[in-house]
Every structure is written in C-alpha cells, then in structure tokens.
Amino acid sequence: MSRKVILVLLILFVIILAWQETSQAATSWEKVVDKIEGILRQSLNTYRQGDAEKARGLVNEAYFGFFEKEGLERAILSKHSSNRAALLEYKFSNIKKLMGNQVPVPEVEQAITELTGMLREDAARLDGPQQQNPLENFLSSFLILVREGFEAILILGAIVAYLVKSGNQRRIPTIYYSAGLAVLASIVTAIVLQLVLRLSGASNEILEGATMLLAAIVLFAVSHWMVGKAEAKSWQRYIEDKVQGSLSSGSALALGAAAFLAVYREGAETVLFYQALLNNAAGAAGLVWLGFAAGILALAAIFLLVRYGSLKIPLKPFFLGTSLLLYYLAFVFAGDGVKALQEAGVAGATPVPGLPAIDFLGIYPTWETLLPQFILLAAAALGVICQRRQALAGRSGHTPSANP
C-alpha cells in the first residue's frame, strides 16, 4: 500500500511541475542583472543621501525580488555550483552590513560594483550557447534531485531499517505516509509562495530556516534516544518493556516527524528549482524529465542500500551508526537554518575572521550559525556522559549477584 501511495505522489509531483510555466522562452539573465544593478545603484544614491535604512531595503528588494524570485540564484546553483551561489548571497549581505556600519560611500560603491560584475559574468555564461547542451539539462536535473533528496533518503532509510530491526514493521507505513504528506506539503507550499500569495523571498527563507531548525531539534532528539539503545542489554530491556516490540506513541510521533521534516525541508525549494530549470530548458524539457527519473532511481538505490544493507550490521554498530548519521544531519541543519534566517534579515551575521565556509558540514563563518552547533556539541557530550554513568551504575548493581 505504501508503495502505491509513494507512486501516486511522485506522479502528482511530476504533473504539478509540468503545470508550471514550462512553455516560456528561456529567461535573459542579462536583463535580470540589469534590473538588479539598477536597484543597487538606486540604493547607493539613497545611501549617499544619508538614508541607510531605506538603502538596505532596496538591497533586499534586489536580492529577494530579482536574484531569488526571477530564478537567477537557482540557475547559478544548478548550472554552476552551490559555492558560487553562496558567495553571491554573502556579497548582498555584506553590502547591507556596510551600510549598517555607516562606512564611506566609495567602499559601498566598490562592493556593489564587485557584485554586479560577478552577476554579469554568471549571466553571460547562463545566456551563452553552451547552455543549450542537452546533456547539461539532464545532468542539472539529475543532480538537483539527488543533492536535495540525498539527506532525506538517508534519514528515511535509517528510520525504516531501525523499525525492521526492532520488530516494529507495522510502524513503517507511518514513515511512508509522513514522507508522502511532506511531498504534498512541499508542492502546496511552492504554489502558495510562487503563485497565490506572491510572498517575498524573505518569507521563503524564514520558512526554510525555521523548518531546518525544527528538523535539527527532532533529529538530535531521535539520535540521542538511539544512542541509549546501543548497548545490547539496554536494547533487550527496551524490547521486554514493549509488548511485541511496539513503540510508544511519543516515539512513533518523533520518528514520523523526523521523516516529514526531512522531506519537507527542501521539498518546496526543489519544486522551484525545477520550475527555473524547465523555464530555461527551451526544447530540451524531455531531458530534464529524464534527469528527474534518473534521480528518482538513484535515490531509490540509496534508500534500498541503507534499508537492507543496514539489517546485516550487528545491533550496537547499527544503533551507533544511525545515531551518528542523524546527529550529523542535525548539526548541518542547525547551521543551514540560521544561515537562511540571516538571508531573510531576521538574524544577525557577526563574522568569524579566518574561518572558511564548509558547506557539507553546515559551517559558515559567523558566530550566529556556529552558536546552535556549539550547543548541539555540548548537548551530545552531556548526553553521552549521562548515559555512560547510567550504564556503569547498572553494571555495578548487577555485580553482587554475579559473584558468589
């Protein structure tokens, strides 16, 4: 039954993606950059006149209203690299920071000139004839889906394997239904953001940041809970406490929430990525869908590898490995979540000199993104210490009966 539900959801996903404005001609990115530069120059003039707050608002308009909303950021991310897109995001934020610090006008002007120069370089590459290479449309589509879905599939595979290993197979449909509901929620969110409410990019970033932070909390809680079951004796006691291996309602809810948030976290953004990709695929939309299908197969292979491969792993390594995986993803989500809130302008950005950005770890050179990660490290260390003490106490309590 769960497979049928997932298949229906995937078909619905494809239909709604196809429903997006795929018949449009490819966007002229040079014209988008013209609009961005015009607003940034207007912002510079406003700053020169002494109104820093209004000037910062105009920078936000250039970023959210054109760089994000027109799809330039997604095009750069999918066609070039996430590092390039992240660097451009930082350049926008830096201009606002310079204005907030009341630096001299020439310094702000230099930052704007540098940003627009980079944007024009990217626009020239995106508008160039090499972008009509059909293979690029296939690869971009494939990599978007794999990149955005990889973490979610790892989480789903680990949770399902855990349920099988613990004798809770009857809870597996809950995980599949949660993931399917997240796909539907992602589609609805994308439609609401893009077509109905026409919300600003800031609202999208706030939603994304809040979702990732919530996911980080849930994943950390599940990770901590699994560490406590790593010892064979602890697991045996746990099984004995649960009639026929059933989970408590609270535990099942936490696992379902983890599955939902893992998929929903990037779902709406993935829909928007594909909209931008299809709008610029010209006559190669079929290869975009071929890349989408290949991405689905790749994610299915990853899921099956985690799902069935992990069942052959002994109990203790399985729980420790799964816990570490979920903790790693919680750590990454914490940094990425705060970064999204920084882009929305609702969180500060205090730079950490000399610290490089490490995208795959969710580490960014600001104190605000590092703070929740420090908290997670401290909480993990404290949890391990407490669990070790409990394990030692349990062993000492059995010592007298073990010796005559």
Side-chain angles (χ1 to χ4, degrees):
M1 180 64 180
S2 58
R3 292 180 182 177
K4 294 180 181 179
V5 172
I6 293 174
L7 179 61
V8 170
L9 291 172
L10 287 175
I11 293 173
L12 180 61
F13 191 32
V14 170
I15 290 173
I16 293 188
L17 284 172
W19 171 72
Q20 302 288 335
E21 303 164 299
T22 58
S23 61
Q24 294 180 356
T27 302
S28 170
W29 298 117
E30 191 69 30
K31 292 182 180 179
V32 175
V33 175
D34 286 341
K35 295 175 183 177
I36 293 174
E37 183 174 17
I39 296 175
L40 290 176
R41 293 298 171 186
Q42 182 184 351
S43 171
L44 179 63
N45 291 334
T46 302
Y47 181 71
R48 185 179 283 116
Q49 295 167 7
D51 193 344
E53 191 62 30
K54 184 178 179 180
R56 285 161 55 90
L58 287 168
V59 176
N60 276 336
E61 181 182 341
Y63 178 80
F64 292 116
F66 293 92
F67 183 65
E68 273 205 345
K69 193 170 184 179
E70 295 292 329
L72 180 54
E73 180 189 26
R74 292 190 290 272
I76 292 171
L77 197 155
S78 62
K79 295 285 187 178
H80 297 322
S81 70
S82 58
N83 287 336
R84 179 69 172 188
L87 178 59
L88 291 170
E89 289 175 356
Y90 169 76
K91 295 292 183 181
F92 276 102
S93 298
N94 186 53
I95 292 171
K96 292 189 292 182
K97 183 180 178 182
L98 292 174
M99 291 176 171
N101 292 337
Q102 300 291 324
V103 302
V105 172
E107 191 174 342
V108 176
E109 185 174 14
Q110 181 182 354
I112 289 176
T113 300
E114 182 179 344
L115 171 59
T116 53
M118 294 174 64
L119 290 172
R120 291 206 178 278
E121 289 176 9
D122 292 337
R125 287 196 293 266
L126 291 169
D127 287 335
Q130 69 274 17
Q131 298 304 319
Q132 302 304 317
N133 182 351
L135 182 60
E136 269 195 45
N137 288 294
F138 171 82
L139 289 176
S140 296
S141 176
F142 174 78
L143 292 175
I144 282 174
L145 192 62
V146 173
R147 181 186 63 235
E148 301 299 326
F150 179 73
E151 293 171 347
I153 289 297
L154 283 180
I155 293 172
L156 292 179
I159 291 175
V160 170
Y162 155 73
L163 291 174
V164 173
K165 208 171 184 71
S166 64
N168 286 281
Q169 288 91 335
R170 68 185 187 86
R171 296 286 189 178
I172 292 178
T174 300
I175 304 304
Y176 290 146
Y177 288 134
S178 297
L181 182 61
V183 173
L184 283 177
S186 297
I187 295 171
V188 171
T189 301
I191 293 174
V192 170
L193 290 174
Q194 198 75 352
L195 301 179
V196 180
L197 297 182
R198 298 288 180 182
L199 293 178
S200 68
S203 300
N204 192 13
E205 296 289 354
I206 291 172
L207 176 63
E208 181 182 346
T211 302
M212 281 193 284
L213 291 177
L214 180 58
I217 294 172
V218 173
L219 289 175
F220 175 77
V222 174
S223 171
H224 176 74
W225 182 79
M226 284 188 175
V227 167
K229 304 296 175 289
E231 293 290 341
K233 290 183 179 179
S234 297
W235 177 246
Q236 186 61 38
R237 288 195 300 270
Y238 172 75
I239 291 294
E240 291 172 355
D241 290 341
K242 307 296 179 183
V243 178
Q244 296 181 346
S246 62
L247 289 177
S248 67
S249 57
S251 300
L253 180 62
L255 294 175
F260 176 88
L261 292 170
V263 176
Y264 180 72
R265 179 182 79 89
E266 293 289 358
E269 189 172 4
T270 301
V271 175
L272 298 179
F273 271 133
Y274 269 93
Q275 181 189 4
L277 188 60
L278 287 165
N279 285 345
N280 292 278
L287 285 170
V288 173
W289 291 119
L290 186 60
F292 176 83
I296 290 290
L297 292 176
L299 292 178
I302 295 170
F303 174 83
L304 292 174
L305 181 64
V306 177
R307 161 74 168 80
Y308 293 104
S310 58
L311 295 181
K312 300 179 181 179
I313 301 175
L315 194 66
K316 184 173 182 178
F318 169 78
F319 276 98
L320 288 178
T322 302
S323 177
L324 287 174
L325 169 65
L326 298 183
Y327 176 79
Y328 157 73
L329 294 173
F331 186 88
V332 173
F333 290 0
D336 286 344
V338 174
K339 180 175 177 288
L341 295 179
Q342 288 175 332
E343 292 169 7
V346 298
T350 308
V352 180
L355 179 67
I358 308 175
D359 190 59
F360 75 95
L361 289 177
I363 293 176
Y364 303 98
T366 67
W367 288 113
E368 288 80 2
T369 53
L370 293 174
L371 178 60
Q373 294 177 325
F374 286 146
I375 293 174
L376 283 179
L377 287 173
L382 181 61
V384 170
I385 291 172
C386 291
Q387 287 170 349
R388 284 189 175 277
R389 287 182 176 177
Q390 290 177 356
L392 290 173
R395 290 169 188 168
S396 63
H398 286 74
T399 301
S401 59
N403 297 319

